[in-house]
């Protein structure tokens, strides 16, 4: 009996598939805000996150302004860790 560990290979194939599919979806989008929206949703669904946000840091790297976010609907309204 010979066992071969393939978990790493399968995970790598899954990551590659995700990147290729996301690249195809983003290629067809012309608006930067829509690119962020699609990327946030795709990443959230891929990793099983309740919330994904894209933010821009200030010049000092201290404060972030959230440009776009996606939520999966499981967070209660008003659940905002920024407060």
């Amino acid at each position: 009996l010979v066992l071969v560990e393939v978990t790493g290979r399968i995970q790598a194939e899954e990551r590659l598939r995700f990147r290729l599919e996301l690249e195809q979806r983003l290629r067809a989008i012309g608006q930067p805000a829509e690119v962020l929206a699609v990327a946030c949703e795709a990443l959230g669904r891929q990793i099983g996150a309740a919330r994904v946000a894209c933010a821009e840091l200030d010049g000092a790297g201290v404060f972030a302004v959230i440009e776009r976010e996606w939520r999966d609907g499981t967070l209660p309204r008003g659940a905002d860790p920024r407060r």
Side-chain angles (χ1 to χ4, degrees):
L1 177 66
V2 176
L3 298 176
V4 178
E5 175 59 52
V6 296
T7 303
R9 183 183 62 175
I10 291 171
Q11 289 172 336
E13 289 171 359
E14 188 175 302
R15 285 190 301 269
L16 179 59
R17 179 194 51 76
F18 169 73
R19 288 194 312 259
L20 292 174
E21 287 175 4
L22 181 59
E23 182 181 316
Q24 279 185 318
R25 288 180 65 194
L26 296 180
R27 190 177 297 134
I29 301 171
Q31 299 297 319
E34 184 65 16
V35 168
L36 289 177
V38 168
C40 284
E41 179 180 357
L43 179 59
R45 291 187 187 284
Q46 176 71 15
I47 65 174
R51 180 181 183 189
V52 173
C54 291
E56 185 172 337
L57 294 174
D58 69 354
V62 176
F63 297 102
V65 175
I66 293 179
E67 301 291 331
R68 181 64 86 173
E69 71 178 354
W70 170 84
R71 295 179 187 214
D72 71 353
T74 62
L75 295 174
R77 291 208 59 71
D80 192 344
R82 294 176 286 183
R83 295 178 194 205

